Amino acid sequence: MAILVTGGAGYIGSHMVHALADAGESVVVLDNLSTGFREAIPGGIQLFVGDTGDQNLVSAIMKACDVDAVIHFAASIVVPDSVRDPLGYYRNNTANARSLIEAAVQNGVKHFIFSSTAAVYGNPADVPVTEESPTVPMSPYGTSKLMTEIMLHDVARAHDLGHVILRYFNVAGADPQQRTGQSTPMATHLIKVAVQTALGLRPQMEVFGTDYPTPDGTCVRDYIHVTDLVRAHAAALAHLRRGGPNLTLNCGYGRGYSVLQVIEAVKRAAGHDFAVRYSSRRPGDPATIVAAAQRARQILNWRPAYDDLDVIVGHALAWEEHLAAAERHANAGARSA
Ligand code: UDP
């Protein structure tokens, strides 16, 4: 029996693959390497390069590797891109998920863990948001994920495929052992952009909107360390293997930080100031989104280990330094070759 991790060469997926390999699980990865990296996967783990929408390939993998669980990370994840290219998001996130779920049903897969998002809540009227809060996404990205949630609910009524839907809040940080991290060069996420600016890889960064109805006028988010998030997936899989019921769970810490607070934390970690420009709002951004985070703790007995913004930012900065050093090394090698 094996676990198929889609998007296992990507940021969160590669942390998952490391954790599963550490736990002695049998793992195979499907990734189209559009944003992932072969090197992010630990040695000895089989990688299939392809799309989750390629049902022939997915079925062949499920049969050949005796897959009984799927952890589905592969997706497009940039909110403003989804506003510009909704059909691309519905293809990659919704249509491909449909194809993957169908292959899972046809091949007798028992467990499905799905990467959903706090973006399904849109701009919530009440914060923190519980799993029962209304789902009114304000971007095609959020809608594309919500549509997959709905498919999983319907499929669970018709077929023997159990699921846990995890709604991620803002995932950040890197493996504390620095084996993997957020490696996408043009990543748009706040902590990544801020640590790159701190290291001089960008001349300055922008704060998107200072007129939100929040204490300092900038957006508030619930930042969760990627390692804690991955542990929630492991706990979700254990839950399904025990025969536990289908679940939808928020994955956050239940505490929010503003964009300016995050930038201050990055300046503290770096030990110096850097240039920040204040600009207008980015389309699709809700003002405040913070998780009601008790349910995962209660049902999965999930216990976060890195619930500290300074730790999250410190690990992100260390990973960015690691990437910058690797790049210098590669450039020096190219010059001397
Ligand atoms: N943000 C920003 N500057 C950046 C990147 C992000 O001000 O360079 C803001 C963004 O507008 C949002 C928050 O930081 O309010 C978190 O954005 P991110 O893209 O990290 O995650 P999202 O909440 O969109 O999933």
Side-chain angles (χ1 to χ4, degrees), residues 228-249:
D228 280 336
L229 179 70
V230 155
R231 287 180 183 179
H233 290 69
L237 183 58
H239 165 89
L240 290 174
R241 284 172 168 170
R242 282 193 300 270
N246 300 330
L247 297 172
T248 300
L249 300 171

Side-chain angles (χ1 to χ4, degrees), residues 193 196-206 273-277:
V193 169
Q196 287 184 328
T197 315
L199 293 181
L201 302 170
R202 296 172 186 253
Q204 64 171 16
M205 66 170 292
E206 288 180 83
D273 204 357
F274 51 82
V276 174
R277 200 167 72 85

Side-chain angles (χ1 to χ4, degrees), residues 77 79-80 117 119 141 169-170 188-191 193-194 202 205-209 212 218-221 223 259 263 281-282 284-287 289:
I77 58 157
V79 170
T117 168
Y141 168 66
F169 284 63
N170 286 64
T188 58
H189 290 113
L190 175 65
I191 291 181
V193 169
R202 296 172 186 253
M205 66 170 292
E206 288 180 83
V207 172
F208 297 131
Y212 285 98
T218 66
C219 291
V220 171
R221 297 285 183 275
Y223 294 90
V259 173
I263 291 172
R281 292 183 178 197
R282 199 175 65 167
D285 275 341
I289 184 144

Side-chain angles (χ1 to χ4, degrees), residues 297-320:
R297 286 177 168 84
Q298 281 158 5
I299 301 182
L300 298 182
N301 201 26
W302 174 65
R303 294 289 174 271
Y306 301 101
D307 177 4
D308 182 327
L309 184 62
D310 288 316
V311 171
I312 294 173
V313 160
H315 288 163
L317 185 63
W319 178 253
E320 206 60 44

